[in-house]
């Protein structure tokens, strides 16, 4: 059994997810969105990762980045390891690909800030 | 002396949206004054996602959200001065600013929009006994140090206050390799969004201790630890509940204050609840031609609402400049029964738009209540709410057609059954 808090709306229902003969049963949800949320959270939880990387020759020395889409939650720290290891050169525009495939997720890491050359 | 039709003080999301909307409403001569060396305000340091769901129907990070507005301001060729700190404004709309390039400058405006944002409650405002070693930061300062300057702020962290900035920083520091030991909250509920509690704390197993506060700070040069204690319903520490946490960093996320030093000189009515000026349904302060929007008016948790509010201020400032429309007679909007304040605080029933959005916050966490609107003592609205929380801004949209004329009073409150 897993306990979760639904983030679907401010009500924040406390959900309990039970696994029964390979099926998931959700309790505590007030509306169907809670059930969908709980099942996704148990089967394949995903998150967007945001951070910064070092940038050389720009007007600032940190470039903010994010994963282009959600990545599996259990890849977050692997993703952070790769983010910490890299640095880029200015200029960079929003949406520029910083890493094409971060931590083997098939998802790109993209810039979220425009950093012109110094 | 130079003069402009409209001067906007602050180039954060509020100032940018206000400028765009005023320009689109027909005011050519707009100037934005921003003290930072970039536009975008506090969004520049909010690198996490979750901005713009309402406005752009996608989840952007703070800098991306800001960039969309900055691009539009540039497209429309709206002039702005960076590194320009406004040091005084007057009721006659004389603006004085200083900048390295221009020195001390006075400019005359026909209308002003206040969009100076807010800043964090300083740590001096907190009554924590003990010395003041290094390693104690406000959460926003830590956010800037990490996200803009690229510093590693600390390794073992305790966070006091569960507002959104504190929660976001708990995740940020964890991802950077720090150990966030606990988030303590004085109140029996968190002031942050549920989504942030789940994705910033629960995801990483960081405990949230409600009704807890820091009672002692340890360490001489650098912080070595803090003592946490539970508090009773009067927020007084309970003896015997003290717990020691070793840490090198304490982040304080204890609230935001609208930045209204300039506004005070205008001698306008200020709200003691929001710490911002009181405004009418056009977001005009009681100094005619001076409008306010964004965090300088009241602290927002969603930037989308900041942009929306600012667009309204811009449109109304334009109407003031172009038509010399003067303020009519207003009726106060009373907030009670669990509603702490409303923005606007008053409304001009004759000249109001067809619909007016009233934003407000409640005083406590309430379950199964109704938000009610009374007009001349008669109830005209009753909206069922399963949950209301101080951390989430609420709104009702009042239609001109549903307000009784002549309008004598409006009251917004919460009611049980
Ligand atoms: C530290 C901090 C962190 C935040 N983090 C989040 C978050 O993670 N998520 C979220 O949704 N919201 C966050 N907020 C709330 C956020 O501020 C609002 O959503 C939004 O940015 C408010 O827009 P604004 O334009 O009103 O204010 P701001 O973005 O603060 O912009 C105000 C601008 O006015 C300028 N200014 C002020 N005084 C003067 C002057 N005298 N002369 C010239 N210029 C001046 C400032 O430099 C600034 O650029 C945060 C707020 C703070 C203070
Ligand atoms: S289950 Fe439905 S009602 Fe409950 S928090 Fe989720 S979305 Fe809201």
């Amino acid at each position: 059994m897993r306990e979760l808090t639904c983030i679907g709306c401010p009500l924040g229902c406390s959900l309990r997810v039970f696994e029964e003969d390979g099926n998931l049963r959700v309790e505590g949800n007030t509306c169907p969105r809670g059930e969908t949320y709980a099942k996704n959270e148990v089967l394949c939880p995903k998150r967007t990762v945001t951070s910064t990387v070092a940038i050389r020759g720009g007007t600032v020395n940190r470039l903010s980045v994010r994963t282009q889409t959600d990545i599996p939650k259990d890849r977050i720290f692997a993703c952070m390891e790769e983010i910490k290891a890299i640095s880029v050169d200015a200029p960079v525009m929003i949406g520029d690909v910083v890493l094409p495939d971060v931590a083997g997720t098939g998802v790109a890491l993209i810039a979220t800030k425009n950093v012109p050359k110094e | 002396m130079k003069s402009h039709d409209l001067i906007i003080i602050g180039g954060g999301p509020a100032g940018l949206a206000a400028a765009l909307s005023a320009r689109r409403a027909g005011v050519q001569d707009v100037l934005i004054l921003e003290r930072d060396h970039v536009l975008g305000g506090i969004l520049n340091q909010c690198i996490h996602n979750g901005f713009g769901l309402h406005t752009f129907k996608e989840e952007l990070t703070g800098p991306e959200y800001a960039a969309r507005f900055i691009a539009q301001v540039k497209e429309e060729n709206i002039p702005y001065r960076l590194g320009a700190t406004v040091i005084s404004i007057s009721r006659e709309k004389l603006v004085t600013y200083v900048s390295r390039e221009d020195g001390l400058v006075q400019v005359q405006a026909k209308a002003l929009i206040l969009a100076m944002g807010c800043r964090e409650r300083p740590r001096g405002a907190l009554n924590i006994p003990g010395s003041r070693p290094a390693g104690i930061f406000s959460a926003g300062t830590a956010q800037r140090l990490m996200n803009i300057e690229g510093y590693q702020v600390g390794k073992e962290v305790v966070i006091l206050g569960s507002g959104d900035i504190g929660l976001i920083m708990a995740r940020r520091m964890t991802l950077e390799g720090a150990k966030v030991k606990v988030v303590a909250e004085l109140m029996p509920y968190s002031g942050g969004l549920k989504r942030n509690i789940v994705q910033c704390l629960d995801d990483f197993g960081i405990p949230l201790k409600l009704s807890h506060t820091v009672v002692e700070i340890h360490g001489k040069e650098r912080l070595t630890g803090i003592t946490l204690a539970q508090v009773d319903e009067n927020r007084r520490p309970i003896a015997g509940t003290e717990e020691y946490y070793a840490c090198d960093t304490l982040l304080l996320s204890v609230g935001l204050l609208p930045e209204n030093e300039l506004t005070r000189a205008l001698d306008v009515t200020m709200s003691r609840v929001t710490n911002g000026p009181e405004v009418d349904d056009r977001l005009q302060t009681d100094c005619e031609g001076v409008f306010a929007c964004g965090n300088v008016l009241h602290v927002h948790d969603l930037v989308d609402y900041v942009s929306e509010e600012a667009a309204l201020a811009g449109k109304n400032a334009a109407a003031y400049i172009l038509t010399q429309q003067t303020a009519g007679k207003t009726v106060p909007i009373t907030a009670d029964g669990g509603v702490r304040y409303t923005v606007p605080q008053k409304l001009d029933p004759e000249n109001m738009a067809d619909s007016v959005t009233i934003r407000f916050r409640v005083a406590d966490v309430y379950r199964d209540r109704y938000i009610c609107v009374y007009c001349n003592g008669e109830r005209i609205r009753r909206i069922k709410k399963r949950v209301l929380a101080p951390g989430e801004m609420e709104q009702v949209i009042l239609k001109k057609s549903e307000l009784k004329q002549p309008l004598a009073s409006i009251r917004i409150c919460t009611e049980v059954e």
Side-chain angles (χ1 to χ4, degrees):
Chain A
M1 200 262 290
R2 267 199 51 199
E3 291 188 64
L4 298 166
T5 307
C6 181
I7 61 168
C9 81
L11 204 53
C13 296
S14 299
L15 310 175
R16 287 170 304 281
V17 190
F18 301 89
E19 200 170 337
E20 286 162 358
D21 333 307
N23 287 325
L24 293 179
R25 185 168 59 81
V26 181
E27 272 183 11
N29 55 311
T30 308
C31 80
R33 271 195 293 164
E35 184 173 340
T36 314
Y37 171 79
K39 287 184 174 168
N40 281 337
E41 276 295 286
V42 170
L43 296 174
C44 59
K46 288 184 159 190
R47 299 286 186 267
T48 295
V49 176
T50 61
S51 186
T52 63
V53 300
I55 181 162
R56 284 178 302 252
T59 48
V60 290
N61 34 22
R62 299 303 292 184
L63 170 72
S64 55
V65 294
R66 68 171 163 99
T67 53
Q68 189 153 29
T69 57
D70 289 351
I71 62 163
K73 204 173 136 188
D74 59 11
R75 302 301 292 157
I76 292 178
F77 281 96
C79 173
M80 283 305 296
E81 285 310 309
E82 291 195 3
I83 289 175
K84 278 178 207 167
I86 54 169
S87 64
V88 297
D89 291 301
V92 173
M93 298 295 284
I94 288 178
D96 283 359
V97 173
V98 174
L99 285 174
D101 172 9
V102 69
T105 56
V107 173
L109 188 72
I110 59 168
T112 59
K113 195 174 266 188
N114 294 322
V115 181
K117 260 200 165 112
E118 169 80 280
Chain B
M1 191 196 315
K2 273 208 169 169
S3 67
H4 297 279
D5 282 348
L6 175 62
I7 294 180
I8 296 171
I9 306 168
L16 296 171
L20 283 165
S21 138
R23 172 59 70 80
R24 285 165 190 166
V27 177
Q28 280 308 311
D29 185 12
V30 182
L31 175 67
I32 304 172
L33 295 173
E34 168 57 56
R35 70 175 166 204
D36 205 346
H37 57 274
V38 285
L39 293 172
I42 210 77
L43 290 181
N44 286 304
Q45 70 183 58
C46 300
I47 62 162
H48 58 279
N49 60 314
F51 297 85
L53 266 173
H54 294 256
T55 315
F56 298 113
K57 308 282 173 261
E58 57 180 310
E59 267 197 50
L60 303 171
T61 62
E64 288 172 296
Y65 185 93
R68 296 207 174 179
F69 281 88
I70 295 169
Q72 292 177 57
V73 162
K74 289 185 176 164
E75 253 165 51
E76 300 263 357
N77 282 314
I78 298 176
Y80 56 88
R81 301 297 288 166
L82 297 177
T85 305
V86 175
I87 54 168
S88 78
I89 51 180
S90 74
R91 287 186 75 88
E92 292 69 40
K93 302 171 197 74
L94 187 64
V95 176
T96 310
Y97 72 89
V98 284
S99 85
R100 205 187 294 173
E101 284 159 42
D102 308 338
L104 184 78
V105 186
Q106 286 205 317
V107 272
Q108 179 66 50
K110 287 185 188 152
L112 292 180
I113 296 180
L114 309 176
M116 291 91 78
C118 62
R119 61 184 149 71
E120 289 180 289
R121 235 173 252 275
R123 82 181 207 214
L126 283 164
N127 280 319
I128 306 175
S131 53
R132 287 289 180 268
I136 307 176
F137 305 89
S138 70
T141 301
Q143 191 179 42
R144 196 192 70 240
L145 288 172
M146 285 187 88
N147 295 347
I148 307 274
E149 323 279 346
Y151 291 119
Q152 181 85 42
V153 172
K155 289 205 164 58
E156 295 195 296
V157 189
V158 170
I159 298 178
L160 177 62
S162 62
D164 288 313
I165 309 171
L167 300 176
I168 295 284
M169 283 310 289
R171 172 175 64 189
R172 182 81 182 104
M173 295 196 77
T174 305
L175 289 179
E176 286 296 326
K179 170 85 191 140
V180 178
K181 298 195 161 173
V182 65
V183 175
E185 168 62 56
L186 182 65
M187 304 303 283
Y189 53 83
S190 164
L193 299 172
K194 196 115 240 163
R195 167 193 157 106
N196 285 338
I197 294 177
V198 169
Q199 299 198 344
C200 300
L201 302 188
D202 297 358
D203 268 9
F204 303 101
I206 301 168
L208 169 62
K209 293 207 159 191
L210 299 173
S211 298
H212 274 73
T213 194
V214 173
V215 291
E216 209 176 332
I217 286 170
H218 309 272
K220 281 208 175 69
E221 314 261 282
R222 176 88 197 189
L223 185 69
T224 54
I226 57 105
T227 304
L228 213 60
Q230 200 180 332
V231 296
D232 62 21
E233 56 277 13
N234 299 316
R235 298 185 222 165
R236 274 192 308 252
I238 303 171
T241 63
E242 297 87 356
E243 259 181 294
Y244 177 79
Y245 286 86
C247 59
D248 58 22
T249 304
L250 173 65
L251 296 192
L252 305 173
S253 173
V254 290
L256 301 166
L257 282 176
E259 181 131 352
N260 276 300
E261 281 66 26
L262 293 174
T263 319
R264 289 207 172 82
L266 294 176
D267 200 26
V268 294
T269 314
M270 303 291 290
S271 158
R272 254 179 293 166
V273 186
T274 61
N275 287 303
E278 291 197 355
V279 291
D280 63 16
D281 51 295
R282 287 192 279 165
L283 303 179
Q284 182 169 244
T285 66
D286 54 21
C287 177
E288 223 165 79
V290 179
F291 299 79
C293 54
N295 279 357
V296 81
L297 184 55
H298 58 144
V299 175
H300 293 67
D301 18 59
L302 284 177
V303 72
D304 304 75
Y305 294 151
V306 171
S307 303
E308 197 182 301
E309 186 177 274
L312 182 65
K315 188 173 141 216
N316 290 327
Y320 172 82
I321 293 164
L322 299 171
T323 66
Q324 271 98 45
Q325 187 185 21
T326 54
K329 219 173 124 40
T330 57
V331 172
I333 301 169
T334 319
D336 64 11
V339 175
R340 281 187 64 224
Y341 74 84
T342 66
V343 166
Q345 285 88 353
K346 53 200 171 183
L347 182 147
D348 173 353
E350 215 166 296
N351 302 306
M352 70 183 276
D354 290 340
S355 66
V356 169
T357 303
I358 313 285
R359 299 202 159 93
F360 59 93
R361 284 184 194 272
V362 295
D364 205 340
V365 176
Y366 302 123
R367 285 188 179 267
D368 294 318
R369 285 214 183 188
Y370 294 87
I371 292 173
C372 298
V373 181
Y374 285 82
C375 179
N376 296 353
E378 198 181 310
R379 191 168 69 204
I380 59 164
R381 252 338 153 73
R382 188 161 179 262
I383 308 154
K384 169 125 184 151
K385 286 278 172 179
R386 303 189 69 108
V387 178
L388 291 162
E392 316 234 358
M393 195 185 280
E394 295 289 337
Q395 64 179 47
V396 287
I397 297 172
L398 293 184
K399 294 205 179 61
K400 188 173 184 174
S401 57
E402 70 183 337
L403 297 181
K404 305 258 168 328
Q405 303 286 358
L407 188 66
S409 71
I410 304 177
R411 187 165 73 93
I412 299 189
C413 58
T414 73
E415 283 174 7
V416 273
E417 251 345 291

